[in-house]
Amino acid sequence: MSHLPISEDELQAYVDSALPEARRGEVADYLAAHPEESERVRSYQAQKQALRALFNPVLDEPLPEKLCVLSSPPVAKASSPKSGFLARWSLERIAASVLIGAISGLAGWLAHGQYTPERMARLTPLSYQAAVAHAVFSPDVRRPVEVSAEHEDQLVAWLSKRMGTPVRPPKLGALGYELIGGRLLPGNVGPVAQFMYGDASGQRLTLFLSTENVSNQETAFRFAQEGKVNVFYWIDGTFGYALSASIDKDELARVATAVYDQIERK
Amino acid sequence: MDSRAILAEIPRLRRYARAMLGNRTAADDLVQDTLERAWVRLSQWRSGSDLRAWLFSIMHNLRIDQLRRPTVSTQSIDEDDFEAPTRATQNDALEVKDIETALGELPDEQREVLLLVALEEMSYAEIAETLSVPVGTVMSRLSRGRERLRRIMDGQPLAARLKVVR
C-alpha cells in the first residue's frame, strides 16, 4: 500500500490531534523514521503545554468590576437601582468639578506658565464637556441653537471655518431625529461644535465635536452616564465625538452607530 | 444575548488578551473595548451562532484598528496594578519564562494563531473565520509561528527556515 507524502499542514494537525485516525498512524510511522521531524513535533507539543501552563491561571482570577458590569445588557443596567452610584454624579457636581478643574488649570498656567493642551484636556474629558453642554442648551425651548437648520449651509460653512476643518451634521432623520441647528462653544483650548437634534416628542439629542487633543488616536465606543444624561463618545481621526441625550443606552447606541457609520462612509 | 453567556466568556477573552498583549492593564482594556463594541453591535450577532467566535473576532478587529493607528497608550492606575501576581508559580522554571518572552517576539499574526490553537483549542476552520483569512493562511502562520518560537527559545538564528513570502 502506497502512502501519500506527509505535508507540513499534516504535521501541524498531528500536533493538534486534528488528523483522522488512519492518517495519524501513518504520520506516527513517518516520525518514527525521521528523528529530526519527530523532535520538531515534540517541541511544538511542548510549546502548547507551556502556553497553557502560563496563561490558564488567568481563567481563575477574579474578574475586574469594569468587566463584570459589561456582562449585563445596558438597558437593565440603566434602569437598575444599582445605578445609584452614577446618579450621585449629578450635573451640578460635574459642573462644579469642571469649574474647579478650569480654575486650577488656569491658576497653574498663571503661576507656572506650564500650560499645555494635554493638561487642560485631562481636566475636562470629552464626555463631561459634552454632557454639560447638552444639559445647558437642550432644555432651552426658544434658543436652543445659534444657527438653525433652516440655514444649514451657513451653519456648515461657519462651523467649518471656525473649527478649521470641514464639519457636517450627520442626517438622523431615518431614526426620527431632525436637525434643529448648531452652535460654537468654547472647549478646553479652542472652539468646539455642537449639533442639536429633536424628535417628534420633543426629545433632544446633541452631537458634540471636538478637534482638541485627539490627533492620531482612535478609541472604541465608550459610554458615560452623567446624571440623567447618557453619553456615547469615541475618537476617530481628527475628531472626538460625543453623542448625548436623556434616552436609554440602547436607543442612544443605535443613534451613535448610525452617526459613526455616516462618518465612516465619507 | 444572555448575560450569563457573556459572563462565561470573559475569563477566556481575558486569558487570550493577556497572552496577546503581555500586559494586564492593556489586556483588560481590550476586553472592555470588546464588550462595549459587542453591545453596540448587538444587532449584527445572529442568535444561535457561536458567541465566543463572534467576540473573538470583535477583539481581533479592534486590535487591528489599534495597530493601524498608533495610539497614545494610557495606563490607568488602580489597585489592580499593585496586586501581587496571582498566576501559578510552581512551573516558574526558565522554560516558562522563556516562552513568554519568545511569544512576545513573534509577529502579531503568528502569535494570534498559535494562541487560538493552544488556548482556545479552536479548529483551523474556526480560526480562519474568526480572523477572516483563508484556512491556508492560518496553516502557514501556525507553521511559521511554531518554528519561529522554537528557534527563539533555542537561541537559534531565525533565518534558516523562513522563506520569502509571496
Side-chain angles (χ1 to χ4, degrees), chain B residues 53-64:
Chain B
W54 185 63
L55 290 172
F56 271 87
S57 67
I58 290 176
M59 187 184 272
H60 165 73
N61 290 331
L62 270 173
R63 182 133 172 75
I64 295 221

Side-chain angles (χ1 to χ4, degrees), chain A residues 12 16 44 56 66 70, chain B residues 15 29 39 124 146-147:
Chain A
Q12 299 297 334
D16 299 318
Y44 295 166
N56 278 353
K66 67 173 183 179
L70 280 167
Chain B
R15 174 179 64 174
D29 284 352
W39 284 117
Y124 303 143
R146 279 177 164 160
E147 185 57 15

Side-chain angles (χ1 to χ4, degrees), chain A residues 106-264:
Chain A
L106 190 63
W109 175 33
L110 294 172
H112 304 291
Q114 287 176 336
Y115 166 78
T116 63
E118 288 77 9
R119 195 164 152 194
M120 288 292 271
R122 224 177 284 140
L123 292 170
T124 49
L126 184 61
S127 56
Y128 279 23
Q129 291 182 57
V132 172
H134 179 86
V136 169
F137 294 111
S138 67
D140 202 318
V141 177
R142 294 194 55 185
R143 293 181 194 83
V145 295
E146 273 175 291
V147 179
S148 73
E150 289 163 58
H151 305 106
E152 193 179 337
D153 288 353
Q154 289 173 33
L155 176 67
V156 165
W158 170 56
L159 288 178
S160 299
K161 188 175 172 215
R162 294 301 312 269
M163 298 282 287
T165 178
V167 173
R168 183 169 286 279
K171 300 203 183 313
L172 302 176
L175 293 158
Y177 292 96
E178 293 299 343
L179 184 69
I180 296 173
R183 65 167 66 239
L184 195 71
L185 294 168
N188 285 310
V189 295
V192 295
Q194 184 194 49
F195 291 114
M196 192 172 300
Y197 296 82
D199 72 1
S201 73
Q203 179 66 53
R204 282 178 176 173
L205 186 146
T206 57
L207 178 65
F208 190 88
L209 273 87
S210 167
T211 54
E212 296 175 354
N213 198 28
V214 295
S215 61
N216 213 22
Q217 290 190 33
E218 192 180 51
T219 66
F221 276 132
R222 295 200 176 275
F223 176 72
Q225 191 178 28
E226 323 281 15
K228 286 179 186 160
V229 183
N230 284 340
V231 187
F232 265 105
Y233 60 107
W234 67 97
I235 291 168
D236 188 5
T238 52
F239 283 111
Y241 298 90
L243 189 70
S244 314
S246 295
I247 56 178
D248 76 45
K249 189 177 173 182
D250 243 9
E251 166 75 2
L252 189 61
R254 261 192 296 281
V255 182
T257 309
V259 172
Y260 179 82
D261 287 344
Q262 283 193 34
I263 292 159
E264 281 293 280

Side-chain angles (χ1 to χ4, degrees), chain A residues 30-84:
Chain A
Y30 165 82
L31 290 175
H34 297 81
E36 207 171 300
E37 290 292 78
S38 173
E39 174 52 35
R40 188 157 72 91
V41 164
R42 252 201 307 280
S43 153
Y44 295 166
Q45 286 166 334
Q47 285 176 6
K48 271 183 88 167
Q49 290 306 318
L51 288 171
R52 288 178 191 164
L54 183 61
F55 294 111
N56 278 353
V58 176
L59 294 177
D60 300 323
E61 288 178 7
L63 289 184
E65 178 61 24
K66 67 173 183 179
L67 299 184
C68 281
V69 167
L70 280 167
S71 71
S72 307
V75 182
K77 190 186 142 202
S79 61
S80 118
K82 274 185 239 155
S83 63

Side-chain angles (χ1 to χ4, degrees), chain B residues 72-86:
Chain B
V72 178
S73 66
T74 54
Q75 291 244 345
S76 68
I77 297 188
D78 55 30
E79 54 265 52
D80 280 0
D81 292 332
F82 303 106
E83 255 178 37
T86 49

